[in-house]
Amino acid sequence: MSRVGQKPVEIPSGVTVTVNGSDVRVKGAKAELTMAMPSGVSATVEGAKVIVKIDDIEKGNLHGLTRTLIANMIEGVTKGYSKELEIQGVGFKAALQGQKLQMSLGFPKPVEYTVPDGIKIVVTEGTAIVVSGADKQQVGDVSARIRSYFPAEPYKGKGIRFKGEYVRRKVGKTVA
């Protein structure tokens, strides 16, 4: 049995958790999230706690994962998640136009990214992007996709990086 999976998940006030078979639905002030539990794992709501149990001992590796995913859903509908990105480079900038994020990254055409539902993007000063939403996995996925258009390169350091990310710089070639 998983040590993490044995801990019950506290349900704060203002959040409702319903378990219907293998579906878990969490509804809060910010959003409503659903998750399908893997087979062999079940959850029950007892008072102000969610208890995750394993039906099959071979599914023990999913015990702690399922409990953590439910805890992340509860935190997402109450506080939400956010990731910050920085754009560095001469002429590199971003702008939000409706549901599209347009980024000038040194390519002949600006790169466009369509923002999915449930995600909010804020661009400040043209070089700082904040991706926020209730689903932790979706926030991480969107920020990683935006970063993948031009990851920070090691020679000049230009590109898109997470805020606080360290990019190891390399020395370029020297002519003898």
Side-chain angles (χ1 to χ4, degrees):
M1 296 215 23
S2 167
R3 287 188 202 137
V4 174
Q6 290 176 356
K7 289 190 239 175
V9 181
E10 298 287 330
I11 302 173
S13 61
V15 176
T16 59
V17 178
T18 56
V19 179
N20 186 10
S22 66
D23 292 334
V24 177
R25 182 178 302 273
V26 179
K27 187 174 183 179
K30 290 194 179 261
E32 181 176 342
L33 300 173
T34 59
M35 178 186 78
M37 286 189 296
S39 62
V41 181
S42 62
T44 57
V45 178
E46 296 178 8
K49 295 181 181 180
V50 178
I51 298 171
V52 180
K53 297 177 182 171
I54 52 172
D55 303 330
D56 187 7
I57 197 70
E58 292 178 4
K59 299 288 185 175
N61 56 351
L62 299 174
H63 190 207
L65 172 70
T66 306
R67 185 249 179 229
T68 303
L69 290 175
I70 293 172
N72 288 344
M73 289 169 58
I74 291 172
E75 186 176 341
V77 298
T78 55
K79 299 176 190 171
Y81 291 99
S82 68
K83 290 211 178 234
E84 298 179 22
L85 298 161
E86 299 173 335
I87 300 176
Q88 290 186 352
V90 177
F92 285 25
K93 60 185 176 183
L96 192 64
Q97 295 178 345
Q99 282 294 97
K100 290 192 183 273
L101 177 68
Q102 286 196 339
M103 298 173 283
S104 298
L105 301 173
F107 300 125
K109 293 182 180 178
V111 176
E112 283 191 357
Y113 179 74
T114 305
V115 181
D117 294 335
I119 294 293
K120 182 181 174 192
I121 293 182
V122 177
V123 179
T124 56
E125 301 172 12
T127 59
I129 302 171
V130 178
V131 180
S132 58
D135 190 357
K136 186 176 185 177
Q137 182 178 354
Q138 192 176 21
V139 168
D141 183 48
V142 167
S143 56
R145 285 182 192 274
I146 292 172
R147 182 181 179 273
S148 73
Y149 287 119
F150 201 117
E153 53 97 15
Y155 294 102
K156 291 184 180 178
K158 63 184 187 178
I160 304 172
R161 65 179 81 188
F162 291 109
K163 186 172 184 175
E165 179 183 359
Y166 174 74
V167 176
R168 194 171 138 240
R169 302 291 295 270
K170 292 183 179 178
V171 179
K173 292 183 181 179
T174 57
V175 179

